[in-house]
Amino acid sequence: MQKIIIVIMLSLCYGAIGKAQSTINRSLELKVGQSLPSLPVFPVLNYEKSEIALGSIKDKVLILDFFDTYCVNCIAAMPNLQQLQEEMEDKLQIVLVTWQDRETIEKFFASHPYVREHSIKLVTIYSDTLLRSYFPHQGIPHTAWLLNNKVQAVTFSDFVQRQNIEELYFKGKINLPLKSDFGTEDTLLGGSVPESGLITSLRITGYQDGAVWQGIKMEWDSLRNVGKVYFHNADIFGAYVAAWSKIKKPTFVLKAQRVVWKAKEHDRYRYLGKGGKNEWLLSNGISYHRTYSRKTELSELAEIMIGDLSNALGLRVYWSEKEIPCLVLKRLPKAKKELSSDEGELEGTSVLAFMIDYKDSFPPVVDEVNSDVRMKIEDFSTLENLNKQLKKYGMILEEELRKVEVLVFEDLE
C-alpha cells in the first residue's frame, strides 16, 4: 500500500497548543549518534563473570533489550535473540536489561516453562535504573543498538534480525525506524495547531517514525477553544475497530468469523501474524490527526474519523448481520429457570462467553441464557470439557447456526 498523505488546512493564523508532559525523567536520554558516557560495571546473570562492563564491548554490535517478566512479547522474542546470539557470537552481544531484582530473575530463568523449553541463557543485567535513564521508555520490549560505544538505533525488538545486525557490523551505521514513546503531535505531524481562527484541519498519513499506537486520543484546550483527536501507527482494521468502539460499546469479541471482507486488499488492512508487526506497520500503518474548533463528544468525533478514513482509503465499513456457525449457550431442558450459585470467579454468562471467545479455539459464542450466576470454569480446552463443567449450572453449549452482527469492509465503487 502506498504511503497515504492527505492534508487539509483552513485557518487564519498559527500558534502553539500545550503539550502533554511525561512523568518519566528524560534529562539523561541518549539520542541516536550520541556516545555512551563512562559507565560503572553492572551485576549480571548468565555471564562468565558476575559483573559486566558495557564500555569494553567495542568490537561487536551491542544490543540492550529492556524487558520484565510480565511482558509476554518480551518473552516470546527471546528464542530469536538466543539463536542470533549463538550464531553471531563473533559479531554480536545481546544483553537483556530489567529493573527487577536478582531473586526474581533467577527464578524466571529456572522455572518459566517457555524459557526452559527454549534454553534461554541470555546475559541479563538486573536491578537496573541507570540504563533506563539513558534509554527511557514507557513500553517494552525496548531495544537500543550500540557500536563502538555510540548509539546507532533505538527500535522495537522486531528489527533485531540477522541482516540488520550484519549491516551495522560491516558498514558501521544503520537506519532503522525510531521507537520513541514520547513523541508529540506537533513534532510528529509537522507543525503547531492554530491558536485562533481555526475551522478545521485534517492529516492522514502513513507510518510516523518515533510514534507508537496508544489508542484514539482526544484533547481540548479550553483557553484557545481548540481540540484535537488523533492516533498513530495503527493497522487499518484496528483503526476502524477502535473508532467504532467509541460509538457502539462492544458486547462481544470481534473474532475473525465476525468480520466480512469485501475489500480486495484486506491482507494489507489487518496484521496476520507474519513477521514482526512493527516491521509490517512500516508499509501498512496509518496515522490520523484532526483539529477542530467546536467542543465535540468523542463518539461524534469517532463518526467523523470513520468518514475521513473511508474517504481517504476508498472503503465502506459498517455493521450488518450474517448467519454463521456459533456456539449457543442454552439452559438444559430440565434446568430451573433461575440459576443460583455463589462460587467461582466468572460473574455471569456474558463473562463466560467473552472468555470462550478470547481463547479463540471455538466459533463465536451466542449467550441465550443471560444470567448473572457465578461460575467456576477452569478447563477451556474442549467443548466436551466445557459442557461437563456447565452441566452443574444447568447450561450447555451447542453448535448451531445463528444470525449475528458482523463488521463489513467493502471497497467503494
Side-chain angles (χ1 to χ4, degrees), residues 1 207 213 231-243 261 266-272 277 280-281 283-287 309 313 409:
M1 183 173 65
Y207 184 90
W213 163 255
F231 64 77
H232 297 303
N233 297 347
D235 60 297
I236 291 169
F237 173 83
Y240 274 101
V241 171
W261 292 104
H266 63 266
D267 58 327
R268 297 191 177 188
Y269 298 155
R270 185 177 192 178
Y271 176 64
L272 299 175
K277 183 172 183 178
W280 179 87
L281 284 171
S283 300
N284 300 289
I286 59 170
S287 299
L309 293 174
L313 300 168
F409 283 73

Side-chain angles (χ1 to χ4, degrees), residues 202-228:
L202 170 65
R203 296 184 182 94
I204 302 176
T205 70
Y207 184 90
Q208 290 289 317
D209 198 14
V212 293
W213 163 255
Q214 295 179 326
I216 296 173
K217 303 291 185 180
M218 180 180 70
E219 299 174 13
W220 178 258
D221 186 334
S222 58
L223 294 177
R224 298 180 176 88
N225 287 325
V226 172
K228 57 184 178 180

Side-chain angles (χ1 to χ4, degrees), residues 38-311:
S38 178
L39 296 174
V41 293
F42 295 94
V44 290
L45 296 174
N46 303 329
Y47 190 54
E48 57 193 19
K49 300 177 182 178
S50 61
E51 297 177 325
I52 188 170
L54 296 180
S56 66
I57 303 173
K58 296 180 179 179
D59 58 344
K60 297 181 180 181
V61 172
L62 172 60
I63 290 180
L64 302 178
D65 192 73
F66 293 84
F67 87 108
D68 67 40
T69 58
Y70 307 107
C71 173
V72 174
N73 290 337
C74 301
I75 297 168
M78 286 182 181
N80 174 59
L81 299 180
Q82 183 70 48
Q83 182 177 357
L84 288 170
Q85 181 61 67
E86 293 172 0
E87 295 177 354
M88 306 183 73
E89 186 177 5
D90 58 329
K91 303 179 182 70
L92 173 68
Q93 181 60 62
I94 295 174
V95 179
L96 303 182
V97 183
T98 181
W99 57 272
Q100 292 171 291
D101 61 27
R102 179 186 181 112
E103 181 180 0
T104 300
I105 300 305
E106 284 183 329
K107 183 178 179 181
F108 170 72
F109 281 112
S111 61
H112 194 286
Y114 188 79
V115 169
R116 287 173 56 85
E117 177 188 350
H118 291 88
S119 302
I120 308 299
K121 297 179 181 178
L122 293 164
V123 176
T124 304
I125 293 174
Y126 57 86
S127 301
D128 168 70
T129 57
L130 181 59
L131 291 172
R132 183 188 174 102
S133 70
Y134 289 132
F135 301 100
H137 52 275
Q138 293 176 315
I140 50 178
H142 186 78
T143 305
W145 300 58
L146 299 102
L147 183 65
N148 297 323
N149 280 340
K150 183 176 288 188
V151 182
Q152 306 291 338
V154 178
T155 73
F156 294 93
S157 63
D158 300 4
F159 296 95
V160 182
Q161 302 172 12
R162 173 182 287 273
Q163 63 268 28
N164 292 332
I165 295 166
E166 289 180 340
E167 180 178 344
L168 177 54
Y169 181 83
F170 289 113
K171 294 183 178 180
K173 60 182 181 180
I174 195 167
N175 183 21
L176 292 173
L178 174 69
K179 177 183 183 287
S180 171
D181 299 347
F182 308 98
T184 67
E185 286 307 288
D186 294 348
T187 57
L188 288 168
L189 289 172
S192 58
V193 177
E195 283 188 15
S196 61
L198 173 77
I199 299 175
T200 189
S201 69
L202 170 65
R203 296 184 182 94
I204 302 176
T205 70
Y207 184 90
Q208 290 289 317
D209 198 14
V212 293
W213 163 255
Q214 295 179 326
I216 296 173
K217 303 291 185 180
M218 180 180 70
E219 299 174 13
W220 178 258
D221 186 334
S222 58
L223 294 177
R224 298 180 176 88
N225 287 325
V226 172
K228 57 184 178 180
V229 59
Y230 59 92
F231 64 77
H232 297 303
N233 297 347
D235 60 297
I236 291 169
F237 173 83
Y240 274 101
V241 171
W244 270 114
S245 71
K246 308 302 180 185
I247 303 167
K248 177 185 174 71
K249 186 177 180 180
T251 57
F252 50 82
V253 177
L254 191 60
K255 296 166 69 71
Q257 296 95 323
R258 286 183 178 264
V259 181
V260 176
W261 292 104
K262 296 183 179 180
K264 294 177 182 176
E265 294 188 307
H266 63 266
D267 58 327
R268 297 191 177 188
Y269 298 155
R270 185 177 192 178
Y271 176 64
L272 299 175
K274 298 176 181 178
K277 183 172 183 178
N278 293 293
E279 186 176 17
W280 179 87
L281 284 171
L282 287 176
S283 300
N284 300 289
I286 59 170
S287 299
Y288 175 97
H289 179 279
R290 174 182 274 276
T291 54
Y292 51 94
S293 56
R294 177 179 63 84
K295 198 165 185 179
T296 310
E297 295 295 325
L298 183 54
S299 58
E300 183 179 343
L301 289 170
E303 290 188 33
I304 294 170
M305 180 182 294
I306 289 170
D308 291 338
L309 293 174
S310 295
N311 288 332

Side-chain angles (χ1 to χ4, degrees), residues 332-401:
L332 287 168
K334 296 182 181 180
K336 294 180 181 179
K337 188 173 183 181
E338 294 298 328
L339 304 172
S340 63
S341 171
D342 296 324
E343 70 174 22
E345 298 177 354
L346 294 183
E347 298 184 2
T349 55
S350 62
V351 178
L352 172 66
F354 175 87
M355 289 296 296
I356 296 172
D357 275 347
Y358 186 75
K359 295 292 182 181
D360 206 28
S361 302
F362 304 100
V365 177
V366 173
D367 178 12
E368 293 186 349
V369 176
N370 296 315
S371 170
D372 293 329
V373 62
R374 295 179 65 91
M375 292 172 285
K376 185 176 182 180
I377 306 295
E378 297 178 328
D379 186 352
F380 289 80
S381 60
T382 66
L383 180 58
E384 181 182 4
N385 290 340
L386 279 169
N387 278 332
K388 285 180 181 178
Q389 297 166 93
L390 287 170
K391 185 177 181 180
K392 68 181 293 186
Y393 304 106
M395 290 182 279
I396 188 171
L397 283 162
E398 294 184 341
E399 296 180 89
E400 295 182 5
L401 291 175

